[in-house]
Amino acid sequence: ALAMDSEGELGESELAGLATNALTIECTNVKNDNFIQVTENAVRLISLKNLSLVAEWKPKGSIKLASINPSQVLLSLGEGK
């Protein structure tokens, strides 16, 4: 991820709760100062306050599509599941 440092320079930054080793299908801000990251293997709820992982759900199949609103996540799983 990119972020501004204390001197106003743009550079790479680590986000502890973000899965950077997986393709992100959808990533959206949601209620209660959180955001949701959907990858092919998991749905991750991450705190905007400290960028830590709050919760994670992993389906048995792979996630193909995702749509997120402030209070709901809709997923399409592969292999007809």
Side-chain angles (χ1 to χ4, degrees):
L2 295 176
M4 292 268 206
D5 64 16
S6 59
E7 297 172 2
E9 295 290 322
L10 188 61
E12 289 189 31
S13 175
E14 285 292 319
L15 300 177
L18 197 66
T20 57
N21 60 344
L23 176 68
T24 297
I25 296 170
E26 180 79 30
C27 192
T28 304
N29 290 348
V30 294
K31 291 183 174 183
N32 302 320
D33 292 324
N34 294 307
F35 70 94
I36 291 179
Q37 177 191 26
V38 178
T39 69
E40 293 175 311
N41 303 316
V43 177
R44 301 167 60 85
L45 180 65
I46 301 163
S47 169
L48 283 169
K49 293 178 183 176
N50 58 17
L51 302 176
S52 65
L53 182 63
V54 175
E56 180 178 55
W57 176 76
K58 293 183 177 183
K60 291 181 181 178
S62 62
I63 300 169
K64 299 299 182 188
L65 299 169
S67 181
I68 304 170
N69 70 32
S71 63
Q72 299 172 318
V73 177
L74 176 65
L75 303 173
S76 173
L77 302 180
E79 303 162 17
K81 297 179 182 177

